[in-house]
Amino acid sequence: MIELNEVSKVYPGGVTALNSVNLHIPAGEIHGIVGRSGAGKSTLIRCLTGLEDVTEGQISIDGVDLTAARGAELIAARRSIGMVFQHVNLLDSRTAAKNIAHPLEIARVPKAERRRRVAELLELVGLSDRADNYPSQLSGGQKQRVGIARALAAEPGVLLCDEPTSALDSTTTRQILELIGQLRDRLGITVIIITHEMSVVREICDAVSLLDEGSIARSGPLLDVISDR
Ligand code: ADP
Ligand code: ADP
């Protein structure tokens, strides 16, 4: 479960990027956050991942207050969020399997366990037959599948997706959204999708929040929020 309680972010220089944001995202929900350019979406992501300190308020993930956590607790809290990006940024010199293994290597997971985990993750995203392909040999959708597997390597409880399908065509977009839905069902993870595409929200989200000039303009179950749009 993710809770934001009166979260504000004021940048040095005085821009208020987030203004008293309250959000409650139950475990296992797929929650869309939509907003125009400049609405505060990137700031919200950086606050959620601990890259940016909030100016006021609290963010908690599964009961751990991110804004107060220090040391090992903060590291564990950060690891509980897996990030998926629009531009997947795979390492071109590494195969799909080795890209997925990368975070496990950094976390010093022993080699035998790494192999087992990578094979499991490849299966989970439907890429078992592509383990030894380099990014240049993969389609856009396949690269995003590798990105999703890499994000899941540390077994996070939350998958935070930043414009995950904005670089993909409509057919591939549908396939990636379907995969995200299956992962939620299989793993019970909570998913946040930041997007400017209402079609993505309609297709997959249980609930949605509209961010406007740093404030949550509306938030709730999908049909309550978008029924009149
Ligand atoms: P979005 O991702 O929705 O486009 P951002 O979170 O990037 O929105 O930006 C929200 C507001 O905060 C904008 O007015 C932007 O100019 C400002 N902003 C973003 N990052 C910084 C920063 N590092 N320093 C100062 N202002 C910033
Ligand atoms: P190293 O470079 O550490 O000797 P490898 O080149 O075999 O080992 O693989 C690097 C990483 O990628 C390891 O963590 C390994 O577990 C993983 N890996 C490579 N290929 C596969 C594959 N086909 N299936 C599962 N994991 C793989």
Side-chain angles (χ1 to χ4, degrees):
M1 185 177 67
I2 301 163
E3 296 261 15
L4 276 74
N5 179 26
E6 296 291 326
V7 169
S8 293
K9 174 67 188 181
V10 182
Y11 284 110
V15 175
T16 300
L18 296 174
N19 186 8
S20 299
V21 169
N22 291 298
L23 265 183
H24 169 83
I25 305 179
E29 181 167 283
I30 301 184
H31 194 104
I33 296 179
V34 268
R36 284 185 291 253
S37 175
K41 303 184 298 296
S42 309
T43 301
L44 183 61
I45 291 169
R46 291 201 299 271
C47 290
L48 275 168
T49 54
L51 278 178
E52 195 89 68
D53 286 333
V54 305
T55 310
E56 272 182 74
Q58 290 90 38
I59 298 177
S60 72
I61 297 173
D62 290 335
V64 176
D65 184 349
L66 254 191
T67 44
R70 295 283 175 269
E73 199 180 33
L74 182 61
I75 291 169
R78 282 189 183 159
R79 212 171 269 165
S80 70
I81 301 184
M83 276 291 299
V84 172
F85 307 95
Q86 174 178 358
H87 302 290
V88 186
N89 291 326
L90 299 177
L91 298 167
D92 290 330
S93 61
R94 286 181 153 237
T95 62
K98 285 195 179 197
N99 267 284
I100 297 168
H102 199 220
L104 299 174
E105 289 170 8
I106 291 169
R108 296 172 190 269
V109 171
K111 184 157 180 160
E113 191 185 336
R114 232 160 50 206
R115 256 196 179 268
R116 187 184 59 72
R117 283 284 298 144
V118 170
E120 210 174 80
L121 288 159
L122 282 163
E123 191 274 326
L124 205 54
V125 300
L127 282 186
S128 298
D129 56 342
R130 294 291 182 161
D132 299 323
N133 282 161
Y134 288 89
S136 63
Q137 301 169 313
L138 299 173
S139 68
Q142 288 168 337
K143 280 188 247 190
Q144 189 54 288
R145 285 170 192 268
V146 175
I148 291 170
R150 181 183 56 187
L152 293 171
E155 303 187 20
V158 179
L159 197 61
L160 178 53
C161 307
D162 184 9
E163 302 279 359
T165 58
S166 299
L168 304 175
D169 63 48
S170 59
T171 305
T172 311
T173 291
R174 213 164 306 121
Q175 291 165 348
I176 292 295
L177 294 178
E178 198 176 313
L179 172 66
I180 291 173
Q182 287 166 358
L183 292 171
R184 184 270 302 269
D185 295 344
R186 278 179 76 172
L187 305 174
I189 51 175
T190 308
V191 179
I192 302 179
I193 299 185
I194 314 276
T195 182
H196 65 277
E197 298 175 304
M198 280 313 284
S199 57
V200 166
V201 170
R202 276 201 193 87
E203 184 130 349
I204 193 176
C205 291
D206 303 311
V208 58
S209 296
L210 308 182
L211 194 60
D212 185 27
E213 295 187 0
S215 297
I216 301 286
R218 306 184 70 173
S219 182
L222 181 66
L223 294 177
D224 293 358
V225 174
I226 65 165
S227 57
D228 57 345
R229 280 156 203 263

